[in-house]
Amino acid sequence: MTPATSAPPTACPRLNGHFRLQFETAQDAWVLLYPEGMIRLNPSAGEILRRCDGSRDIPAIVAELEALFDTRGLDHDVRAFLDMAGTQRWITLS
Amino acid sequence: MTATSSPPTAQADPANRPGPPLWLLAEVTYRCPLHCAFCYNPTDFARTTPADELDTDGWLRVLHQARALGSVQCGFSGGEPLMRDDLEILVAEAHKLGYYTNLLTSGVGLSPARAEALKAAGLDHIQLSFQDTTRELNDFLSHTRTFDLKQQVAGSIKEMGWPMVMNCVIHRLNIDHIDKIIEMALALGAEYLELANSQYYAWALLNRDQLMPSRAQLERAERITKEYRQKLGDRLRIFFVVPDYYEIRPKKCMNGWGNVFLTVTPDGTALPCHTARMLPGLDFPNVRDHSVQAIWYESEGFNRYRGTDWMHDSCKTCPDREKDLGGCRCQAWMLAGDPSAPDPVCDKSPAHHLVQDAVARANQPGALAARPLIFRDPKASRALSEQAASSSAPARPAGTTA
């Protein structure tokens, strides 16, 4: 698995098909489901991962997150999260 | 719960109201083509006949009610769940409701046609088990029948795009072949391999002396597993579960009683864990008579061992009480004869010597008991039920006393 940040800048993260992302009302959170397990995501992680659909590159995801949270300078945090998500195999790059 | 430091909340519910049953295990049948000597199904499983099994509508109702409470992982297990010919209907409904659906199977009965139907129904994952590893291993080494079946099933799993998760129960009779087992998982294209040491409940407790590995066997297996992990990296993720008899602190059983886990047995009895039905003095509710919500939040059976209030003082005053919640209630009952006692795996338990005795027997030279294994089948189950009816003590391995 190649860490997300070592990918070319045009790479588009996509959720690994073996994982499923969904919003759980009972937990008021986005969760990542996989064989016999679940990861409860914090709101920003959920917002990043739901954008990992293979159609957006990393700068586009950063821009959307900055607009959503009405802030700037999220590039580093988003890339660090995607890096971790790549190591965990939650996402692949296409 | 009073001993915890959680802050008071303004909600009507007290802070200790349990969360939802995130995990629903649907044990849809006890019928099984295999006869594993380490099966965790109750030894009296044959009391539940096929006619006693919840019907399709009964299971659909359970799926709806649990999902409405917040269940998100659904496991279809058994017995062999493929023995139910309505499995595809149940999987399809579970998928539609938003569960992540898991099928826990030996692969026996998973024809290419059924694999396709389950894929179409939305099944997310199959955990393929080696239920009878010694024979399968021999088959693997000689490329005969059972290995052919596993290969065919593994091929279907790959073809359908499911993650390839294999599970192998490890015990005294196969642990020395751990390298071959890992090689077999590799040959079948697995991405995850669970090497789960047998836990000593039900049939495995009856056969404990024959199944428990020696310390030397265990250490060798752990070393070899570690070497493979280093060699294989991400190619195959290997999980190794040690038998808790070799620990000095108990496991946090089921991640806490009535905390995340809900089992429904073939006849509709709801349990906080696979084996809790053995515990005395608890009348576990049935999904035919009660809603899943009432069962989870209000029933005596689910509330009995929640939190820490039920504990003996030795557990209540222990700094690890929240870490392991006193361990496993079934193990306390089976070994110490008291379901509220500390899990005898804990070296602070007054009954810890019973665990030590079993471990000592496993480590005597030439210790393998001469008594034959008792295999899980309906005939043996009926015989064991009759024995149990004439005794109120927990079933124990032959030759042991509390």
Side-chain angles (χ1 to χ4, degrees), chain B residues 307-324:
Chain B
T308 56
D309 284 349
W310 55 271
M311 287 177 174
H312 285 198
D313 282 349
S314 59
C315 284
K316 255 186 195 162
T317 56
C318 176
D320 289 335
R321 66 184 175 277
E322 296 286 348
K323 201 164 137 194
D324 55 40

Side-chain angles (χ1 to χ4, degrees), chain B residues 224-235:
Chain B
I224 291 173
T225 303
K226 202 174 150 198
E227 286 166 9
Y228 268 98
R229 276 200 196 112
Q230 284 166 354
K231 194 166 85 181
L232 299 171
D234 273 356
R235 194 170 144 214

